[in-house]
Every structure is written in structure tokens, then in C-alpha cells.
Amino acid sequence: MYVILVYDVGEKRVGKMLKLCRNYLNWIQNSFFEGDISEVKLKELTILAEKIMKTEEDSLIIFSSRTEKFLDKQIIGKERSSTDNFL
């Protein structure tokens, strides 16, 4: 499945959340990630994220789709991090 993940966590937890999400998805900018991920890996990511978060203060939002081709993506201005991988 293809997901877009956005988080808003307290300053003390930002580094841990950034590192965690980078292990599973492509970092786009600040607290924004996207990429293909299996359901099992996504569940693992959310469980680990909940351990980092203070749920009464922080938030994690995940948008999912079957594949990237069902999403229209428009970038205006500088693209911070491309998800294209050339071999």
C-alpha cells in the first residue's frame, strides 16, 4: 500500500520520531513522509510511534491508498526530497 504520513510531536520527541519514520518511509520534508509499505510494516511503525508519542499532546496522521498511481501530486516551488529512485 502507498501511504502519506504526517506527525506533530513535542520538541523532545521529534528526533526519535524522525529516525523511526525514516526507517520505513521516504522523508519528504520536516514531518512529512511517503512511500510503499506493507500492512505488517505499517502496523509495526504505528506501534513503535505510539511508544514515542504522548497521545494527549501529539498526533500522527496516515493517509493510505492501494498504490501511488491513485494520487495526484503537484509540487510548487522547490522539491525538498524526491521519491524517485534511479538505478
Side-chain angles (χ1 to χ4, degrees), residues 6-50:
V6 182
Y7 65 79
D8 183 16
V9 299
E11 188 177 335
K12 292 181 181 180
R13 295 176 295 283
V14 168
K16 288 180 181 179
M17 189 66 82
L18 174 64
K19 185 176 178 180
L20 172 66
C21 293
R22 278 184 155 176
N23 287 333
Y24 292 87
L25 298 166
N26 299 307
W27 179 60
I28 303 304
Q29 70 181 53
N30 298 333
S31 59
F32 186 95
F33 295 80
E34 68 178 333
D36 284 307
I37 189 169
S38 70
E39 288 186 41
V40 172
K41 287 291 186 183
L42 181 58
K43 183 67 175 174
E44 183 178 291
L45 169 58
T46 57
I47 289 169
L48 294 172
E50 287 176 7

Side-chain angles (χ1 to χ4, degrees), residues 56 80 87:
E56 64 278 355
R80 303 257 179 169
L87 298 176

